[in-house]
């Protein structure tokens, strides 16, 4: 068994080294790329990475409850399982040795402690038996991490990976030799250590990654110790969450662009922003309707349509066209008279009727359409021009409440609305 | 390269002139309403053709107009696109707290049924811009007689 174990050990060590190298390359090329879940970088010099690894180990074995901070102190406490008593001396020696040596690379500690824990885990699971029994147990353990790794892996800590130590290989080698040396102190147990160490070296590493990964991306199981390192917020590298994040960013971008277009867009809430947008689109479509009505021929033709459309909103029926025509004429005259006296009263009169004035461009267009026989007075037009623009019936600053209807000829309900958007057909073309 | 506004105005004027030329003498309600409807459609059609087929909404408008003149609108509820969209929506579980508004917006913007939300917002922005153009430029001195 021993020669086989040695080969296995060398093979695993080589594979681990290769993994490190490729991982370093990846680190140098792409920082934070989410391809690292199947690789293990034991050469990080961050202590939090060490904590992370150590804390992730117990997740696959619930019988132990390792507290990361007390790893060193573990030597002082009796182990939870009596099976460990034999190896406790060994572990304490290892721990103290490491601390004395002050190994710069944190991976050294990680590897050693990992190996320790795996050993103890295997032993606790299988009981202390002959070397073959131990090896069998370890190989059983070996299978578990391998199979566990097949699940989806979110990424493990990425920023701790970033400072990859280029001198890893040498330190790894030295560390390994150091293990061998320290483990060789107990003669009859050195073989045990070698075999499980070799077998589990490559296998347990990915096995540790997976629980670590699941712990860092999800909430983690409640049994996890606290010092687990989580993936940085906003950098979760699950492809689904990346796609989601991109999508959300794009949507936020578009919403911002829309915010600039739509008036009254100072809402921070997405829902109310959408409401504003919807109302604005409805208003614009209504405006097109109104304007297309204004382009119809005939003065009498428009009012029934107006009445009809307002009845769509209000449900009130109106009189026939002839009556409306007369009403309009009367109103016009009244407004014209008022305008001569005072613009203010004229405006109030109009607003009281639920009407307002139009910008000059629209007014002339409508007037030529509807009032072919009348000549718009230049004077009144100028008046209107100067006073209309603030009251422009376009959408700029127009709709104070987006829910108003554009046709308020007949409805008094909207009379209270200062910027009532109904248009007065002939108000601008009053001839005197 | 004339702007969209110019192109729209040009086409719209021509359309309305044509309409006015063929106008009958009768001023019955029905006739008036139909004429109003034609003018409104002409407005949208000129806007959409001025924009061209670059935009999904303009394509949808033109398509709808052409279909409408041929035969009545088929309800698109069971169309394949609606099915695709519904499936897409259900695939994103944490998709939307604003599902209601999103739906309304889809109904408002032409062609909004078949696209995802992100694209819908894009189309809405362009649509709003063009609608404003439609409203703001009746410098057109439409000849009535």
């Amino acid at each position: 068994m021993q020669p086989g174990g040695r080969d296995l050990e060398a093979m695993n060590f080589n594979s681990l080294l290769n993994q490190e190298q490729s991982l370093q390359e990846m680190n140098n090329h792409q920082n934070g790329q989410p391809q690292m879940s199947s690789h293990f970088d034991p050469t990080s010099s961050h202590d939090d990475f060490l904590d992370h690894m150590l804390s992730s180990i117990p997740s696959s074995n619930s019988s132990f409850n390792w507290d990361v901070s007390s790893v060193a102190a573990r030597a002082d406490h009796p182990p939870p399982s009596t099976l460990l008593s034999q190896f406790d001396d060994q572990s304490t020696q290892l721990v103290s040795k490491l601390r004395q040596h002050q190994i710069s690379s944190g991976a050294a500690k990680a590897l050693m402690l990992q190996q320790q824990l795996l050993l103890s885990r295997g032993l606790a699971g299988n009981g202390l038996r002959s070397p073959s029994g131990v090896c069998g147990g370890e190989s059983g353990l070996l299978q578990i991490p391998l199979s566990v790794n097949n699940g989806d892996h979110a990424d493990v800590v990425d920023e701790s990976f970033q400072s990859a130590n280029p001198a890893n290989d040498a330190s790894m080698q030295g560390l390994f030799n150091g293990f061998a040396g320290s483990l060789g102190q107990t003669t009859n147990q050195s073989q045990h250590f070698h075999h499980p160490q070799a077998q589990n070296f490559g296998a347990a590493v990915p096995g540790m990654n997976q629980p670590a990964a699941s712990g860092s991306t999800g909430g983690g199981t409640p049994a996890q110790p606290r010092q687990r390192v989580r993936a940085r917020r906003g950098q979760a590298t699950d492809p689904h969450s990346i796609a989601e994040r991109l999508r959300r960013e794009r949507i936020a971008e578009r919403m911002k662009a829309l915010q600039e277009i739509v008036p009254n867009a100072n809402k921070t809430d997405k829902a109310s922003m959408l409401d504003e947008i919807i109302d604005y689109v409805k208003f614009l479509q209504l405006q097109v309707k109104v304007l297309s009505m204004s382009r119809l021929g005939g003065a009498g033709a428009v009012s029934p349509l107006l009445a009809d459309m307002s009845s769509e909103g209000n449900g009130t029926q109106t009189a026939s066209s002839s009556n409306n025509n007369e009403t309009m004429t009367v109103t016009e005259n009244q407004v014209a008279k008022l305008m001569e006296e005072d613009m203010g009263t004229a405006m109030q009169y109009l607003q009281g009727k639920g009407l307002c004035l139009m910008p000059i461009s629209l007014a002339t267009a409508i007037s030529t359409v509807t009032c072919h026989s009348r000549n718009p007075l230049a004077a009144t037009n100028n008046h209107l021009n100067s006073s209309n623009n603030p009251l422009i019936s376009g959408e700029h600053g127009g709709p104070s409440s987006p829910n108003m209807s554009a046709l308020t000829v007949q409805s008094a309900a909207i009379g209270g609305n200062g910027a009532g958007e109904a248009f007065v057909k002939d108000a601008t073309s009053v001839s005197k | 390269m004339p702007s969209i506004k110019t192109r729209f105005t040009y086409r719209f004027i021509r359309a309305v002139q044509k309409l006015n030329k063929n106008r009958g003498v009768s001023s019955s309600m029905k006739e008036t309403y139909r004429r109003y409807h034609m003018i409104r459609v002409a407005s949208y059609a000129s806007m959409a053709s001025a924009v061209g087929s670059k935009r999904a909404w303009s394509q949808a408008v033109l398509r709808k107009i052409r279909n409408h003149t041929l035969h009545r609108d088929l309800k698109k509820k069971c169309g394949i696109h609606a099915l695709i969209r519904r499936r897409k929506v259900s695939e994103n579980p944490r998709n939307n707290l604003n599902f209601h508004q999103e739906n309304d917006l889809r109904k408002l913007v032409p062609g909004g049924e078949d696209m995802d939300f992100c694209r819908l917002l894009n189309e809405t922005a362009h649509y709003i811009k063009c609608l404003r153009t439609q409203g703001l430029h009746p410098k057109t001195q439409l000849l009535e007689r």
Side-chain angles (χ1 to χ4, degrees), chain A residues 328-385:
Chain A
M328 285 317 244
T329 320
V330 167
T331 311
E332 280 170 24
N333 293 334
Q334 193 68 9
V335 169
K337 230 188 301 181
L338 284 174
M339 269 196 242
E340 293 194 294
E341 299 165 356
D342 175 23
M343 271 312 283
T345 48
M347 294 301 304
Q348 284 177 13
Y349 177 73
L350 278 178
Q351 286 179 8
K353 292 229 159 227
L355 308 170
C356 78
L357 299 176
M358 301 288 283
I360 199 65
S361 53
L362 194 52
T364 46
I366 297 173
S367 64
T368 52
V369 166
T370 59
C371 314
H372 45 277
S373 58
R374 307 192 203 194
N375 302 323
L377 271 186
T380 51
N381 278 347
N382 285 339
H383 272 296
L384 292 167
N385 203 5

Side-chain angles (χ1 to χ4, degrees), chain B residues 49-72:
Chain B
S49 67
V51 169
S53 302
K54 290 181 290 196
R55 287 281 161 174
W57 70 263
S58 59
Q59 286 180 30
V61 166
L62 293 171
R63 208 188 315 135
K64 209 191 312 181
I65 292 177
R66 285 188 200 121
N67 286 345
H68 195 73
T69 55
L70 295 178
H71 50 267
R72 283 292 159 192

Side-chain angles (χ1 to χ4, degrees), chain A residues 255-426:
Chain A
M255 291 285 289
K256 246 184 271 179
L258 272 174
Q259 226 174 354
E260 292 164 18
I261 297 181
V262 175
N264 298 338
N266 44 6
K267 315 282 193 294
T268 50
D269 182 21
K270 191 171 163 190
S272 51
M273 194 56 223
L274 279 176
D275 281 333
E276 280 291 331
I277 294 173
I278 288 175
D279 289 333
Y280 191 55
V281 172
K282 281 192 201 159
F283 164 73
L284 288 177
Q285 288 177 339
L286 199 51
Q287 192 185 39
V288 172
K289 278 190 198 170
V290 169
L291 290 178
S292 61
M293 271 195 307
S294 75
R295 289 184 174 92
L296 285 174
V302 188
S303 352
L305 272 179
L306 286 179
D308 214 31
M309 299 222 26
S310 67
S311 76
E312 285 173 15
N314 305 331
T316 58
Q317 280 300 329
T318 58
S320 64
S321 56
S322 57
N323 279 347
N324 287 338
N325 214 358
E326 286 174 47
T327 320
M328 285 317 244
T329 320
V330 167
T331 311
E332 280 170 24
N333 293 334
Q334 193 68 9
V335 169
K337 230 188 301 181
L338 284 174
M339 269 196 242
E340 293 194 294
E341 299 165 356
D342 175 23
M343 271 312 283
T345 48
M347 294 301 304
Q348 284 177 13
Y349 177 73
L350 278 178
Q351 286 179 8
K353 292 229 159 227
L355 308 170
C356 78
L357 299 176
M358 301 288 283
I360 199 65
S361 53
L362 194 52
T364 46
I366 297 173
S367 64
T368 52
V369 166
T370 59
C371 314
H372 45 277
S373 58
R374 307 192 203 194
N375 302 323
L377 271 186
T380 51
N381 278 347
N382 285 339
H383 272 296
L384 292 167
N385 203 5
S386 57
S387 61
N388 269 356
N389 291 335
L391 284 184
I392 190 170
S393 72
E395 66 283 358
H396 294 288
S400 54
S401 106
N403 286 326
M404 64 186 155
S405 76
L407 312 159
T408 57
V409 175
Q410 305 294 336
S411 78
I414 306 196
N417 192 358
E421 288 293 319
F423 65 90
V424 181
K425 305 199 292 358
D426 301 322

